[in-house]
Amino acid sequence: MNHLSEQDLVLYFYGDAPKTAALEHHLADCSACAAEYANLRATLSAIEFPVPERASDYEAQLWSTLRPRLEATEAPKRSFWAAALQPRRWAVAGALAAIVIAAFLAGRYMPRPNTPTNQQIVEKAPAKSGSDRVLMVAVGDHLDKTQMILVELINTRAEGKVDISAERDLAQSLVNENRLYRQTAQRDKDPELAGMLDQLERVLVDIAHHPDSVSGKELEDLQQRIESQGVLFKVRVVESKVKARGRAEAASSQASKSSTL
Amino acid sequence: MELTDRAAVDEVLAGKHESFRVLVERHGRKVFGLAYRMTGNEHDADEVVQEAFLRAYKRLDSFEARSTFSTWLYRIASNCSLDLLAKRKQDKMHIVESDHREDGENLEERAIEFAAPQAGPERLLLSAELRQRVAGAMQRLTAVERTAFVLRHFEGRSISEIGSVLKVKDEAVKNTVFRAVKKMRTELEPFITAGSVRGGAR
């Protein structure tokens, strides 16, 4: 067996290594790896970040500060549709979800007489809002993921060689998704969403075209391009609108459902 | 019988809003710990705790039984922490800009000083210098690395839980934890193996 990699040892330290028995066997036989592991363990065991003690009545204090703030916000409640759709929505995970969304989008591209805009769908054709809500949920998730990359990149210190491969890979995987949503938004004559997705697409493509690691200067340039356009802010604004729309459509479909029951 | 998290969520959603208290009291301290390690100071951690519970309350109808409430709450709290770190960074950039960047170095040092935990009796055992170095090294991790490292190293959360917080696959979490550990090691190992803290660390 070859020597263990540093990553193997880190995984082993945290109990996340897949083949523990083989690994332990090697550690017992190989003094070089055993010494390397001893070093790693000594360092990691010494890394502590103690949390300051909270008062014994911390929980009560926290509740008394939170309570008025909670009372000032709209109380959450489970809608009929949320309850009915939720387990199924989450069971349809990964690839299956992608297929469903793809099929749904394909359906939207079928020529229809007099394609209604989103607004009209909400107001006049509540029967469609269930599927629109699926789209809004998908777009909301997409914006969530995109936001993570942008926050991550903006927060990375632009010094020396910086490894941005993880963000780059994620951006690559989001570009196609983004294109699909943008085209749908354009088709639905939703200029705000389409415009934001268009801008986002350019940023994602920009990130996706970077090598594994970049120089501090390159990263700084990228950060400036992201920040100068205020993309992150726009994503947040549109995301909250998209989510609100998802909720509004859920409510309207519920209303129409109950009126037909 | 004590109310489970799930039952408390159901009660709140059914209109008994007071049941949210059970969730706040059960998880508040842990969320504070997470927020403190993410943000590096008590004031920001308090702000994150408030914001996390507020967001959780508002979005309670989107909590689904597939994950545990604490994982879901951790995800919200981690995101609140990331938002706050982003905001702080922006604030700092403004200050640095107005100071013509001359004070950049000082600001960094101040941030680390600020991040060092208050010494309590039991913590005096831990070398103050090591604490500062750990805080400094953690500040130099990227936001995602810091999240992954805090959740795995300090909070003992599983790879898949961290994956659901960061919305990435298990393999990506493992790589991120590894990157973070590598950076922490590079900064701290020379100091730790020099033996100056080994005796006092545990």
Side-chain angles (χ1 to χ4, degrees):
Chain A
M1 187 177 175
N2 292 331
H3 285 305
L4 299 171
S5 69
E6 189 182 354
Q7 184 154 21
D8 288 334
L9 295 175
V10 170
L11 287 172
Y12 178 64
F13 176 83
Y14 289 116
D16 299 326
K19 292 173 189 157
T20 315
L23 224 138
E24 280 172 353
H25 195 72
H26 181 88
L27 279 177
D29 283 349
C30 174
S31 57
C33 286
E36 174 61 17
Y37 181 64
N39 257 340
L40 173 84
R41 196 178 50 193
T43 304
L44 286 178
S45 307
I47 297 178
E48 291 186 9
F49 201 75
V51 176
E53 283 291 325
R54 300 285 84 191
S56 57
D57 64 344
Y58 174 70
E59 283 79 7
Q61 276 181 26
L62 178 58
W63 177 246
S64 64
T65 344
L66 261 172
R67 193 179 175 175
R69 295 186 70 188
L70 299 181
E71 278 167 0
T73 66
E74 197 190 336
K77 67 177 181 244
R78 197 186 290 292
S79 71
F80 170 79
W81 278 107
L85 286 174
Q86 226 162 27
R88 251 179 292 159
R89 197 176 94 203
W90 292 103
V92 183
L96 194 50
I99 293 168
V100 170
I101 290 165
F104 160 73
L105 289 172
R108 295 178 73 90
Y109 281 101
M110 298 291 282
R112 267 187 232 133
N114 235 345
T115 311
T117 64
N118 255 347
Q119 197 56 35
Q120 286 166 330
I121 290 173
V122 175
E123 286 168 0
K124 296 178 189 161
K128 283 202 178 68
S129 46
S131 57
D132 251 19
R133 199 167 77 90
V134 174
L135 178 64
M136 286 306 126
V137 168
V139 173
D141 274 358
H142 170 72
L143 294 178
D144 249 3
K145 280 187 233 161
T146 311
Q147 216 185 102
M148 282 292 295
I149 307 183
L150 299 181
V151 168
E152 167 72 355
L153 281 173
I154 289 174
N155 281 309
T156 301
R157 280 166 71 94
E159 270 178 10
K161 270 274 174 207
V162 190
D163 178 6
I164 60 160
S165 58
E167 294 75 34
R168 194 263 329 264
D169 292 349
L170 211 50
Q172 282 173 347
S173 70
L174 290 174
V175 169
N176 286 336
E177 228 176 89
N178 194 87
R179 188 168 300 132
L180 210 54
Y181 295 139
R182 172 178 55 77
Q183 288 165 345
T184 308
Q186 279 166 344
R187 206 190 126 83
D188 279 352
K189 302 195 172 51
D190 187 339
E192 187 188 23
L193 183 59
M196 194 278 297
L197 287 170
D198 182 51
Q199 201 178 13
L200 202 55
E201 200 168 306
R202 273 179 268 142
V203 174
L204 285 171
V205 169
D206 184 1
I207 299 168
H209 283 159
H210 277 76
D212 272 1
S213 55
V214 293
S215 70
K217 174 79 178 75
E218 284 170 315
L219 179 60
E220 217 169 88
D221 289 347
L222 179 61
Q223 287 172 338
Q224 264 173 14
R225 285 200 293 278
I226 296 172
E227 287 183 4
S228 67
Q229 300 178 51
V231 181
L232 195 54
F233 179 69
K234 288 180 198 162
V235 169
R236 284 188 175 143
V237 171
V238 174
E239 187 188 3
S240 66
K241 284 187 187 169
V242 160
K243 288 189 171 164
R245 218 157 86 185
R247 283 195 294 275
E249 277 159 18
S252 88
S253 71
Q254 189 188 354
S256 83
K257 185 80 186 169
S258 48
S259 66
T260 54
L261 282 177
Chain B
M1 205 180 78
E2 208 173 296
L3 204 59
T4 63
D5 286 350
R6 183 74 230 170
V9 170
D10 285 341
E11 284 196 3
V12 178
L13 291 174
K16 202 175 159 195
H17 306 138
E18 195 70 16
S19 296
F20 197 70
R21 180 179 189 153
V22 175
L23 301 167
V24 171
E25 297 198 339
R26 191 172 290 154
H27 299 285
R29 219 170 264 261
K30 292 208 99 176
V31 173
F32 174 81
L34 169 71
Y36 179 75
R37 284 169 167 149
M38 285 289 294
T39 59
N41 72 80
E42 289 183 58
H43 179 263
D44 284 349
D46 281 331
E47 200 175 316
V48 167
V49 173
Q50 294 269 332
E51 182 59 29
F53 277 111
L54 204 61
R55 279 193 207 176
Y57 183 75
K58 285 182 193 164
R59 299 180 193 167
L60 206 58
D61 63 333
S62 69
F63 164 66
E64 80 284 356
R66 213 164 139 261
S67 69
T68 64
F69 180 77
S70 82
T71 302
W72 185 72
L73 184 62
Y74 259 54
R75 177 167 152 185
I76 295 175
S78 303
N79 285 329
C80 289
S81 306
L82 290 176
D83 286 351
L84 194 78
L85 288 174
K87 191 174 142 222
R88 291 279 177 268
K89 189 185 165 179
Q90 263 187 349
D91 294 348
K92 205 156 96 179
M93 271 166 50
H94 287 287
I95 299 170
V96 172
E97 271 165 24
S98 65
D99 286 358
H100 306 289
R101 293 190 168 263
E102 278 167 18
D103 274 336
E105 210 45 43
N106 288 340
L107 263 166
E108 193 55 45
E109 275 168 23
R110 252 185 288 159
I112 295 168
E113 242 174 71
F114 190 40
Q118 307 271 307
E122 76 282 8
R123 279 184 224 110
L124 291 173
L125 286 169
L126 233 175
S127 150
E129 198 183 345
L130 175 63
R131 270 192 280 120
Q132 289 231 348
R133 279 173 191 265
V134 170
M138 278 175 56
Q139 283 213 332
R140 283 182 282 281
L141 296 179
T142 67
V144 167
E145 285 164 1
R146 186 175 176 124
T147 311
F149 186 73
V150 165
L151 291 174
R152 191 74 200 94
H153 187 82
F154 298 115
E155 306 286 332
R157 293 275 154 171
S158 73
I159 295 288
S160 61
E161 277 177 298
I162 302 170
S164 87
V165 168
L166 296 175
K167 294 184 182 167
V168 296
K169 296 206 172 84
D170 288 3
E171 271 321 294
V173 176
K174 288 180 183 176
N175 288 335
T176 311
V177 170
F178 174 62
R179 279 208 312 267
V181 166
K182 219 170 145 67
K183 288 185 184 175
M184 295 296 284
R185 266 189 101 179
T186 310
E187 290 213 29
L188 300 168
E189 195 149 287
F191 177 71
I192 289 167
T193 48
S196 49
V197 294
R198 209 178 245 177
R202 288 264 165 192

